[in-house]
Amino acid sequence: MNFQNRTICVTGASRGIGRALCDQLAERGAAAIICAGRSRGDLPDQIGDTLISFVECDLSHSGGAAQLAQILIAEHPECSVLINNAGTQVMNDCVAPDAGEHADIIAREIELNFASPILLGLHVMPMLLRHKEAAICNVTSGLALAPKQSAPVYCATKAGLGSFSRALRYQAAARAKNLKIFEALPPLVDTAMTEGRGSGKLSARECAAQIITGMERGKPVIDVGKTRILRAIMRLSPSLGYRILSRG
């Protein structure tokens, strides 16, 4: 996949991996990047020769994906690549006596991580299919391969989105060969979301670089950094992989 002169939508683009993806895409010569999120942060109006547009939307609430899709279709029909990067991780104890009191927070986590990427892709599908070559990249997580105990809902949403991405790829291969479906699985990345958690984190810039390189090379599943090691462990001994991650 070549990003030269393309218009690309990146969700969760104001910071972390999303912000780094914008830099990488600009370096590859993208014509324009539509950045979607709750706040613009320090996003400039332009990165090099690449124009930056910001769309304010909250994908953690029902209707957010439809709202963003309407704007993309009406104002940016030239958009041919969607990168579903927005996400959040909530540490929650689902067997605590007060677990039900956090249901609203969990519902928003499910909406942002799982429902919105699916619905956004479905809403803009007619727009994408009009292009000679188009793509959807869903950013999941290495935790989609093996969950950790401290964030069960996050892990479930990422595993679910990974499964959806694979099934969607099957459908595209059979009936929409101009549409490429990618899944990118980052390891622990140094972002605001992971502040104070773990060590040996990959930089957001390096993570973004590996995702974009994987898409350029046409790799449908892009294991980033240490996720490659986890993938190998899960092939050789799933029980060992589960045991290692369960401590998290």
Side-chain angles (χ1 to χ4, degrees):
M1 165 152 277
N2 187 344
F3 295 102
Q4 185 81 26
N5 297 322
R6 286 185 181 271
T7 297
I8 300 153
C9 176
V10 181
T11 67
S14 63
R15 60 182 183 173
I17 297 171
R19 178 67 175 82
L21 284 168
C22 293
D23 291 334
Q24 291 291 324
L25 291 166
E27 289 178 12
R28 263 80 166 180
I33 303 172
I34 300 101
C35 303
R38 285 179 291 184
S39 64
R40 185 175 187 121
D42 64 350
L43 279 169
D45 293 328
Q46 196 164 331
I47 302 175
D49 294 328
T50 302
L51 298 177
I52 304 296
S53 299
F54 177 73
V55 177
E56 184 177 353
C57 63
D58 189 347
L59 296 173
S60 70
H61 287 276
S62 177
Q67 175 194 355
L68 174 57
Q70 289 175 356
I71 293 171
L72 290 175
I73 293 167
E75 301 180 13
H76 304 281
E78 70 281 6
C79 178
S80 61
V81 179
L82 169 64
I83 301 180
N84 283 311
N85 165 75
T88 188
Q89 182 179 135
V90 178
M91 301 297 192
N92 57 321
D93 184 353
C94 293
V95 297
D98 64 347
E101 296 176 12
H102 308 290
D104 289 346
I105 295 173
I106 291 174
R108 288 196 296 272
E109 184 179 21
I110 294 170
E111 187 73 31
L112 180 60
N113 293 355
F114 183 63
S116 281
I118 294 174
L119 295 174
L120 180 56
L122 298 181
H123 284 310
V124 301
M125 190 63 68
M127 178 185 75
L128 294 177
L129 292 178
R130 285 196 292 268
H131 293 276
K132 183 178 180 180
E133 184 184 40
I136 296 174
C137 178
N138 291 322
V139 179
T140 62
S141 168
L143 293 172
L145 303 179
K148 63 177 183 177
Q149 66 162 303
S150 58
V153 176
Y154 175 84
C155 298
T157 60
K158 293 301 185 178
L161 185 58
S163 181
F164 172 79
S165 300
R166 182 174 293 275
L168 185 63
R169 189 179 307 118
Y170 296 157
Q171 292 187 346
R175 296 185 291 281
K177 296 187 184 300
N178 59 321
L179 178 65
K180 305 301 180 186
I181 307 298
F182 299 95
E183 179 191 4
L185 296 87
L188 188 63
V189 178
D190 190 10
T191 65
M193 189 180 78
T194 66
E195 186 175 357
R197 304 178 194 171
S199 60
K201 300 175 186 177
L202 189 68
S203 71
R205 177 174 178 79
E206 178 58 25
C207 177
Q210 290 188 33
I211 291 172
I212 298 304
T213 298
M215 294 179 70
E216 287 176 323
R217 294 176 178 174
K219 295 179 62 177
V221 179
I222 305 165
D223 289 332
V224 179
K226 292 180 181 178
T227 300
R228 300 188 195 103
I229 299 173
L230 178 59
R231 176 87 64 181
I233 293 172
M234 294 302 292
R235 284 173 179 159
L236 294 171
S237 177
S239 61
L240 175 59
Y242 289 135
R243 189 162 63 250
I244 292 171
L245 268 295
S246 69
R247 303 165 189 161

